[in-house]
Amino acid sequence: MAVQNAMTADYLRSAYGGESMAHMRYLIWGDMAEKEGFPKIAKLFTAIAYAERVHAGNHFKVLGGSTSDSTVAAGGVFGTGKTAENLQGAINGELHEVEQMYPVYLNTAEFQNEPEAKRSFHFALEAEKVHAKLFQDAQNAAKAGRDMELKAVYVCPVCGHTVLDGAPDRCPICGAKKEMYRQF
Ligand SMILES: [Fe+2]
Ligand SMILES: [Fe+2]
């Protein structure tokens, strides 16, 4: 069912736009990390790009309704530097979502009694907290001139939960089973 309230719909469109841009810039920064000699950091960018696609897809589907054009206003992070600098952009973007954007969007969906939007915002908010931490770890390594230490990255295809080196039996955010996680 499509959302009923204009403000929640605006926030879903804005979040969709923001997640779409995050998806793309992480793929770009991942390519740059690979070229800079950080294949594990590149893998982290690629995996988290997928998590942002999951968020974008969730917001898009919750919007529902008939197909039509909309102008989307969404914050984005721009710039192409060394990987340590790009990671600062990633950290800033994630922290903005965790501290400002998603708490406000989530509370609006709650206030307007939009349970599907609330669920979609909740999934993204919780996953972004993990992303901020992982990007911080990656930046600490890159600043020291090292790659990250990881074997694989696992992403929940329902909520975007992201974890290194092995999926949990159940996703701590949405409860999806271990077998559903996508491995990078
Ligand atoms: Fe994220
Ligand atoms: Fe999940």
Side-chain angles (χ1 to χ4, degrees):
M1 192 179 68
V3 292
Q4 303 298 313
N5 293 283
M7 281 307 301
T8 294
D10 270 352
Y11 285 162
L12 281 166
R13 281 190 288 267
S14 180
Y16 166 78
E19 296 288 0
S20 299
M21 285 192 279
H23 169 79
M24 185 58 69
R25 73 176 166 266
Y26 291 166
L27 292 178
I28 294 166
W29 285 341
D31 285 348
M32 295 173 76
E34 185 85 43
K35 289 199 181 87
E36 206 177 314
F38 298 131
K40 303 291 175 62
I41 293 175
K43 189 192 285 284
L44 183 72
F45 269 129
T46 305
I48 294 182
Y50 171 69
E52 313 306 9
R53 190 188 114 181
V54 169
H55 297 156
N58 287 343
H59 301 332
F60 190 91
K61 284 178 248 175
V62 169
L63 270 164
S66 56
T67 49
S68 64
D69 277 336
S70 285
T71 299
V72 174
V77 180
F78 291 83
T80 53
K82 303 290 272 184
T83 291
E85 294 160 350
N86 296 339
L87 283 163
Q88 188 60 51
I91 292 162
N92 293 347
E94 299 288 345
L95 289 179
H96 171 74
E97 291 181 331
V98 168
E99 293 169 358
Q100 298 288 327
M101 187 180 115
Y102 279 124
V104 171
Y105 290 6
L106 181 62
N107 273 285
T108 300
E110 164 116 35
F111 179 74
Q112 297 197 316
N113 194 25
E114 297 277 11
E116 291 177 46
K118 191 180 156 191
R119 179 173 180 268
S120 197
F121 293 146
H122 166 70
F123 283 174
L125 172 61
E126 294 306 314
E128 311 307 10
K129 290 176 185 172
V130 180
H131 294 171
K133 166 78 172 66
L134 289 170
F135 282 137
Q136 188 64 66
D137 293 345
Q139 193 194 42
N140 290 341
K143 277 184 172 171
R146 294 185 277 104
D147 201 358
M148 275 185 103
E149 290 183 24
L150 61 83
K151 293 188 186 70
V153 187
Y154 295 81
V155 180
C156 174
V158 178
C159 74
H161 177 244
T162 305
V163 60
L164 304 185
D165 294 342
D169 287 339
R170 291 275 181 175
C171 173
I173 299 172
C174 76
K177 286 185 183 164
K178 182 190 192 98
E179 301 75 51
M180 287 183 68
Y181 273 75
R182 184 157 158 188
Q183 182 185 337
F184 291 84

